[in-house]
Amino acid sequence: MTANGIGRVAFHVGSALGFDGSGPVLASLLLLGGLTSVVLVVLSAVAFCRRRSRSYLLVTLALGALSIKAFLGGVWMFRLMPVGQHHFFEHGLDLLTAALLGAAVYYARAGSNDGKPSAEEFRSR
Amino acid sequence: MSDQRARIAKYVSATPGVHFSALVRELDLAPGQVQYHLRTLRRKQGVAEEHLYGKTHYYPLAYDDRERRVLALLRRETARDVLASLLKHGSARPAAVAEDLDIARSTLEWQLDRLVEQNVVEKRYDSQGRVRLELANRSETARLMGDVVPSLPARMADRFVRLTDRLLDDVAGTEPTDE
């Protein structure tokens, strides 16, 4: 890639990050991010259907929250929502995603009974 | 004995195998302070120190060398579950243990590496040359299991590994195999 090419990429990345408008780079980022996360939601939903465990459901919901973020980005791009509200929902979804993943980790131990070690009942043996 | 030193000795005695960092966190002391008191306690034969798999554990003197190593492993939730499953079923095939606990085979093997290395679990071969797992010392395992309880951070770390191992296994589509 020529120096000119690198400069152009840097400019596009910069303008996408710089929040200066609805450039084509931002639009394609949103589209790509949205499609990728929807694919992940479908994959995790398939995994949930196979395993039927709470952890898998929570991971699916977390990925769902991630894909909604891309959708919200689109809503903001077309000026369907004020930027303040957009930020509120976007970062609310960040919190939701993190909380859902945390819960998925907690329930990763099958039949977690308040974390009580199931071994205790065998102590007397 | 100073107040803080007595507190540290009491905490170690109540939670055999505790990590240095947990002492600092739970007793709300400066690391240097804990280090100083532990050094004194060790010199005065108040606590024992054990280095295992890159971590330093502290124990009351009641435990011997082997017990200290077993206790360090028993502070991990998944290792406890593996041992509990073997206590319940006696000897078992690795695939049966993984299924019983709903853990990925990779999770089980990682735990077994350490449990076998420290001679808590033995791998035996049946007449068809297949691996069977057995506890090396049932009564000792059952007794020591009651002496420690995994901390919440340790539980969450283990569950994170369980979940990601299972997810990665599912993505890779690996079926549990029996060697």
Side-chain angles (χ1 to χ4, degrees):
Chain A
M1 195 184 277
T2 63
N4 185 26
I6 294 169
R8 263 215 300 264
V9 169
F11 170 72
H12 281 300
V13 170
S15 59
L17 294 175
F19 254 101
D20 63 341
S22 46
V25 174
L26 180 59
S28 38
L29 272 181
L30 283 173
L31 192 66
L32 203 63
L35 286 176
T36 314
S37 51
V38 165
V39 169
L40 285 175
V41 171
V42 172
L43 275 179
S44 59
V46 170
F48 168 62
C49 287
R50 279 195 209 152
R51 291 296 191 92
R52 294 266 158 203
S53 86
R54 206 180 311 197
S55 282
Y56 280 75
L57 175 63
L58 290 164
V59 169
T60 307
L61 292 176
L63 289 170
L66 182 70
S67 63
I68 295 173
K69 271 186 75 173
F71 172 75
L72 274 184
V75 168
W76 171 77
M77 245 187 95
F78 292 104
R79 301 287 183 268
L80 299 172
M81 187 191 273
V83 74
Q85 244 177 49
H86 164 78
H87 280 151
F88 174 79
F89 284 117
E90 196 174 37
H91 297 302
L93 283 169
D94 286 343
L95 175 64
L96 183 66
T97 307
L100 286 167
L101 286 177
V105 168
Y106 180 80
Y107 287 112
R109 183 172 182 252
S112 266
N113 41 1
D114 291 323
K116 276 255 169 61
S118 57
E120 252 61 307
E121 55 194 280
F122 308 116
R123 261 195 91 185
S124 52
R125 291 197 187 186
Chain B
M1 197 188 279
S2 82
D3 272 6
Q4 298 304 348
R5 201 179 304 153
R7 268 181 82 210
I8 293 173
K10 200 173 152 199
Y11 196 88
V12 169
S13 162
T15 47
V18 64
H19 293 153
F20 179 79
S21 55
L23 280 172
V24 172
R25 190 176 60 237
E26 297 298 326
L27 297 176
D28 200 21
L29 296 170
Q33 211 178 353
V34 174
Q35 212 164 25
Y36 166 76
H37 288 305
L38 281 172
R39 219 170 19 232
T40 315
L41 281 168
R42 282 182 60 207
R43 207 177 47 234
K44 295 187 172 172
Q45 307 272 306
V47 298
E49 190 182 77
E50 184 83 51
H51 299 278
L52 201 64
Y53 302 117
K55 296 240 173 167
T56 310
H57 303 263
Y58 293 93
Y59 305 82
L61 292 177
Y63 299 104
D64 66 26
D65 204 45
R66 173 182 159 79
E67 287 173 329
R68 288 203 292 267
R69 291 169 170 273
V70 177
L71 281 171
L73 295 178
L74 284 172
R75 300 185 62 78
R76 304 297 301 266
E77 185 178 65
T78 306
R80 293 172 71 89
D81 287 345
V82 170
L83 297 175
S85 176
L86 290 175
L87 272 174
K88 188 163 73 171
H89 298 113
S91 127
R93 315 245 321 108
V97 175
E99 196 181 337
D100 184 35
L101 300 173
D102 193 19
I103 56 176
R105 193 56 188 269
S106 53
T107 312
L108 176 66
E109 290 301 333
W110 194 89
Q111 299 291 342
L112 283 178
D113 281 348
R114 292 179 170 197
L115 290 170
V116 170
E117 194 171 66
Q118 298 305 328
N119 214 5
V120 183
V121 172
E122 285 173 353
K123 282 189 174 177
R124 298 243 169 92
Y125 292 90
D126 64 13
S127 51
Q128 286 134 37
R130 297 184 310 178
V131 174
R132 289 195 78 88
L133 303 173
E134 245 167 63
L135 290 172
N137 187 336
R138 280 180 73 87
S139 57
E140 179 201 60
T141 302
R143 174 170 56 86
L144 292 176
M145 204 177 264
D147 286 1
V148 286
V149 179
S151 66
L152 185 65
R155 285 181 193 281
M156 291 306 275
D158 266 24
R159 290 178 195 190
F160 188 87
V161 171
R162 274 193 191 203
L163 180 64
T164 45
D165 275 357
R166 238 158 44 193
L167 290 170
L168 293 173
D169 258 25
D170 277 4
V171 171
T174 46
E175 290 296 316
T177 52
D178 278 324
E179 69 282 357

